[in-house]
């Protein structure tokens, strides 16, 4: 089973303070870039893997999706999502993405936000997603960028002029990384960007867009704390399609 840190009360309370928890999709600076990668969802059946509070599930319905399934390992996240949702076309269920099974040819879009870098057996999950999509179906996801996950001891290096640099040691040493974020001992899986792409290609996906995301000048002006994010990509956004 994947690590279920979100059901730890201290971690859950800390996560609740983040802007993407308080303000939803508008609190995620990469959201506008993701929107440009999403297909027209009118009439779509959608699955959100690692749905959290259900923000994307509700957005998908607003964008025309006919049915949305939110899947998450955390009971606390699912309970929060249910509290915030009043829509019979949205369902939430507990599921471990390491061992997830989905019905074949049952979704037009599978979406995931900042969850796949926790998954050890990612090839199996990509296989599950591929089989669950109808021909022509879409996969859109974000994950922590390998440049961000690479170092064994992540953190900014600052020179005498105050210039920040991000270390990229151990980039080719794929595998587990244990970091501290809100709580200690958060387990992630580091893999090279090429590994993500090749897994998708091997599975049969056609990659349609890759965005090594960074903030715009306007976003930095509006939220100065984002300024350091222009020094290295923290996340990447990817869209792919199952051939017809």
């Amino acid at each position: 089973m994947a690590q279920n840190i979100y059901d730890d009360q201290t971690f859950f309370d800390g996560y609740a303070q983040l802007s993407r928890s308080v303000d939803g999709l508008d609190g995620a600076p990469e959201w506008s870039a993701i929107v440009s990668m999403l297909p027209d969802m009118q009439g779509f059946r959608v699955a959100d893997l690692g749905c959290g509070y259900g923000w994307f599930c509700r957005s998908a319905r607003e964008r025309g999706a006919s049915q949305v399934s939110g899947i998450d390992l955390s009971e606390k996240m699912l309970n929060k999502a249910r509290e915030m949702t009043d829509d019979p076309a949205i369902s939430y269920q507990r599921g471990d993405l390491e061992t997830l099974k989905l019905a074949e040819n049952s979704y037009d879009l599978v979406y995931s936000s900042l969850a796949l870098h926790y998954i050890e057996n990612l090839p199996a999950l990509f296989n599950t997603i591929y089989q669950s999509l109808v021909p022509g179906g879409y996969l859109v996801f974000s994950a922590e960028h390998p440049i961000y996950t690479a170092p064994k001891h992540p953190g900014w290096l600052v020179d005498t002029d105050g210039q920040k640099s991000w270390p990229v040691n151990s980039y080719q040493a794929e595998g587990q990384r244990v970091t501290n974020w809100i709580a200690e001992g958060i387990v992630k899986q580091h893999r090279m960007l090429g590994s993500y792409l090749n897994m998708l290609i091997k599975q049969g996906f056609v990659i349609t867009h890759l965005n090594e995301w960074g903030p715009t000048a306007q976003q930095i002006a509006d939220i100065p704390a984002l300024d350091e994010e222009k020094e290295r990509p923290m996340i990447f956004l990817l869209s792919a399609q199952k051939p017809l």
Side-chain angles (χ1 to χ4, degrees), residues 151-184:
K152 297 291 182 65
H153 302 287
W156 290 106
L157 305 176
V158 184
D159 66 20
T160 56
D161 296 324
Q163 175 64 48
K164 291 183 175 180
S165 300
W166 188 262
V168 193
N169 52 67
S170 304
Y171 183 85
Q172 293 187 319
E174 296 187 321
Q176 187 179 101
R177 299 290 192 272
V178 180
T179 62
N180 299 330
W181 176 64
I182 301 178
E184 295 184 355

Side-chain angles (χ1 to χ4, degrees), residues 9 11 37 47 67 71 77-78 98 105 179 190 210 226:
Q9 189 63 51
F11 186 93
M37 298 166 60
Q67 184 179 357
I71 300 168
M77 287 290 191
L78 292 169
E98 290 283 6
N105 299 310
T179 62
H190 166 68
L210 173 65
L226 289 175

Side-chain angles (χ1 to χ4, degrees), residues 46-232:
V46 177
D48 181 1
L49 308 186
C51 65
Y53 287 11
W55 292 108
F56 181 80
C57 296
R58 295 185 291 275
S59 175
R61 281 285 289 150
E62 292 170 359
R63 294 171 183 273
S66 62
Q67 184 179 357
V68 184
S69 300
I71 300 168
D72 205 286
L73 182 61
S74 167
E75 290 286 4
K76 289 184 181 297
M77 287 290 191
L78 292 169
N79 289 337
K80 183 70 172 180
R82 293 183 183 112
E83 290 173 7
M84 299 175 71
T85 303
D86 183 16
D87 186 341
I90 301 176
S91 63
Y92 296 106
Q93 66 187 72
R94 189 168 188 262
D96 183 353
L97 300 189
E98 290 283 6
T99 56
L100 184 68
K101 300 299 180 185
L102 298 171
E104 293 186 8
N105 299 310
S106 55
Y107 296 106
D108 302 284
L109 168 67
V110 173
Y111 174 86
S112 185
S113 173
L114 298 177
L116 300 192
H117 52 268
Y118 294 112
I119 307 305
E120 183 174 5
N121 194 1
L122 193 55
L125 180 58
F126 281 154
N127 176 261
T128 294
I129 293 170
Y130 189 87
Q131 298 300 325
S132 76
L133 288 170
V134 299
Y138 300 86
L139 167 63
V140 177
F141 70 89
S142 63
E144 290 188 355
H145 197 288
I147 284 178
Y148 182 71
T149 60
K152 297 291 182 65
H153 302 287
W156 290 106
L157 305 176
V158 184
D159 66 20
T160 56
D161 296 324
Q163 175 64 48
K164 291 183 175 180
S165 300
W166 188 262
V168 193
N169 52 67
S170 304
Y171 183 85
Q172 293 187 319
E174 296 187 321
Q176 187 179 101
R177 299 290 192 272
V178 180
T179 62
N180 299 330
W181 176 64
I182 301 178
E184 295 184 355
I186 307 302
V187 179
K188 302 176 184 179
Q189 301 297 325
H190 166 68
R191 47 181 57 90
M192 295 183 290
L193 189 58
S195 295
Y196 281 101
L197 301 180
N198 289 329
M199 284 181 200
L200 291 164
I201 292 168
K202 184 177 181 180
Q203 185 56 58
F205 281 104
V206 175
I207 296 167
T208 54
H209 193 75
L210 173 65
N211 181 340
E212 297 178 280
W213 183 83
T216 64
Q218 185 59 55
Q219 285 179 313
I220 293 172
D222 293 340
I223 309 175
L226 289 175
D227 183 62
E228 67 181 19
E229 299 303 329
K230 70 179 188 293
E231 301 298 336
R232 55 97 176 91

Side-chain angles (χ1 to χ4, degrees), residues 1-51:
M1 177 179 287
Q3 184 184 42
N4 185 11
I5 192 66
Y6 288 87
D7 273 349
D8 177 87
Q9 189 63 51
T10 300
F11 186 93
F12 184 79
D13 291 343
Y15 183 85
Q17 306 305 311
L18 301 179
S19 60
R20 62 181 67 233
S21 299
V22 175
D23 300 319
L25 299 177
D26 290 336
E30 75 276 10
W31 174 240
S32 60
I34 291 175
V35 168
S36 70
M37 298 166 60
L38 291 170
D40 179 1
M41 285 185 267
Q42 192 65 42
F44 270 24
R45 294 161 296 169
V46 177
D48 181 1
L49 308 186
C51 65

